[in-house]
Amino acid sequence: MDTLVRENRGTRQGRAEHFITPVASVTEDGDAYQLKVEMPGVNKEGLEISVENNELSIIGRRALPPIDGTIIHRESRPENFQRVFELDPSIDTGKIAAHMDQGILTLTLPKADQVKPRKITVS
Amino acid sequence: MSIIRYQSPETVAWTGLDRWNNLRDELDSLFDMPFWSNFGRQSQLFSGWSPALDLYQNNDNMIARVELPGMRKEDIEISLQDGTLTIGGERKSEGAEGDKAERTERYVGKFRRSVSLPTQVDASKVTATYRDGILTVTLPKAEEAKPKQIQVNVE
């Protein structure tokens, strides 16, 4: 089977606002997928996560306290983050859990019961 | 970016248009990838993790702000030597042994960033905070480096 969490690059919604694509990692254990997305400067108030038609959309808006001073060197980018993933129907979208810690969004995407690995004991 | 399709003079049929559009989207999307967006800075492929660093100053302080998502506070090292601020550390890999990686874009491992400060700072008064994955280091300027206002009495 191919991955259950695919990136969906075809959807180009909200082109009016410019977003940058945050880096992400997906790992799988027996029962769930874990998606981690790096969004430095975003806290849980700045998150918009939605699932529609098996499309998981993540928007992270930065809430950086302004610094009193003039900038003399800049490498960071001011844009907010957005990334869209396509979820396989076997993911139980009703049970997705989200956690935000130090700029990392962790989403736990549980597999529906019928696709979980099952141990069959022979009696 | 857009690609102008080569059009040979004898081409009449336009049946394959959808496919070309898809290809163009695919190519466009390559440039939306994190790899390309970081290319102007430092490519993570060649130099490991090189977190973005911004430097500010006001009359009293130099302030460095560094994007370090997902660190533990105790894994961040900040040092100051000969007017060079160095921020380093290690991001440890999380997760259990048996987990299967489906997609890995996040960098795990050691990193180091140095920046040479344009003014002298008082090393004994440096403070740092780490919040929402952003490290902010405040470096008070040394007395002799602060701008001074000279009062001139005109008689």
Side-chain angles (χ1 to χ4, degrees):
Chain A
M1 197 198 303
D2 202 25
T3 171
L4 293 193
V5 186
R6 256 184 307 273
E7 184 175 14
N8 202 340
R9 296 196 222 113
T11 19
R12 303 290 181 87
Q13 54 207 23
R15 268 280 156 185
E17 184 178 350
H18 280 271
F19 290 102
I20 50 172
T21 309
V23 297
S25 291
V26 181
T27 52
E28 185 207 341
D29 63 20
D31 294 341
Y33 289 86
Q34 216 174 45
L35 172 62
K36 281 179 191 276
V37 187
E38 284 189 6
M39 297 187 283
V42 176
N43 57 31
K44 75 178 202 271
E45 282 74 35
L47 281 175
E48 275 175 49
I49 306 166
S50 62
V51 179
E52 208 185 328
N53 300 327
N54 287 313
E55 204 173 81
L56 170 72
S57 162
I58 300 165
I59 291 177
R61 294 180 200 280
R62 294 180 219 249
L64 291 175
I67 286 182
D68 169 35
T70 49
I71 191 154
I72 51 178
H73 177 75
R74 177 192 274 281
E75 291 167 3
S76 73
R77 300 186 50 173
E79 296 95 334
N80 291 315
F81 299 102
Q82 182 189 39
R83 197 151 175 183
V84 177
F85 293 89
E86 185 190 324
L87 303 178
D88 191 275
S90 66
I91 286 173
D92 191 342
T93 51
K95 290 186 186 155
I96 296 175
H99 176 71
M100 190 75 190
D101 184 39
Q102 293 291 12
I104 305 278
L105 170 69
T106 304
L107 287 178
T108 307
L109 308 152
K111 297 177 191 173
D113 284 334
Q114 66 267 22
V115 294
K116 282 182 190 168
R118 217 168 302 176
K119 241 188 208 145
I120 295 161
T121 39
V122 182
S123 54
Chain B
M1 186 192 95
S2 66
I3 289 171
I4 296 161
R5 195 167 74 99
Y6 171 73
Q7 208 183 322
S8 68
E10 53 277 352
T11 304
V12 190
W14 285 82
T15 45
L17 197 64
D18 274 357
R19 223 182 42 193
W20 279 103
N21 278 338
N22 284 344
L23 176 64
R24 196 178 59 188
D25 276 354
E26 278 293 300
L27 284 169
D28 279 354
S29 71
L30 277 179
F31 291 86
D32 290 340
M33 297 280 284
F35 172 77
W36 294 103
S37 57
N38 283 341
F39 201 73
R41 205 166 80 213
Q42 289 93 13
S43 162
Q44 304 200 345
L45 276 186
F46 304 121
S47 59
W49 185 23
S50 190
L53 185 150
D54 295 346
L55 200 58
Y56 295 78
Q57 74 168 335
N58 57 30
N59 283 348
D60 301 321
N61 299 300
M62 303 283 315
I63 302 139
R65 186 141 85 174
V66 193
E67 293 186 349
L68 293 176
M71 294 285 298
R72 290 190 313 182
K73 213 167 56 193
E74 50 275 26
D75 293 332
I76 302 172
E77 294 156 21
I78 304 164
S79 66
L80 190 65
Q81 200 182 14
D82 301 329
T84 300
L85 170 71
T86 301
I87 292 155
E90 185 171 3
R91 188 154 70 183
K92 299 186 171 127
S93 96
E94 311 135 334
E97 280 289 301
D99 290 357
K100 197 173 120 216
E102 293 273 339
R103 174 188 287 273
T104 308
E105 296 165 4
R106 296 189 53 220
Y107 178 80
V108 172
K110 289 193 161 117
F111 68 92
R112 183 171 295 275
R113 266 320 305 268
S114 287
V115 60
S116 116
L117 301 170
T119 48
Q120 270 190 293
V121 294
D122 187 342
S124 63
K125 290 182 185 154
V126 176
T127 56
T129 57
Y130 183 54
R131 201 164 164 250
D132 296 334
I134 305 271
L135 177 74
T136 306
V137 187
T138 305
L139 309 117
K141 287 185 183 174
E143 278 307 318
E144 57 267 32
K146 284 186 186 172
K148 282 186 189 75
Q149 200 152 27
I150 299 164
Q151 200 88 49
V152 180
N153 290 319
V154 183
E155 300 198 11

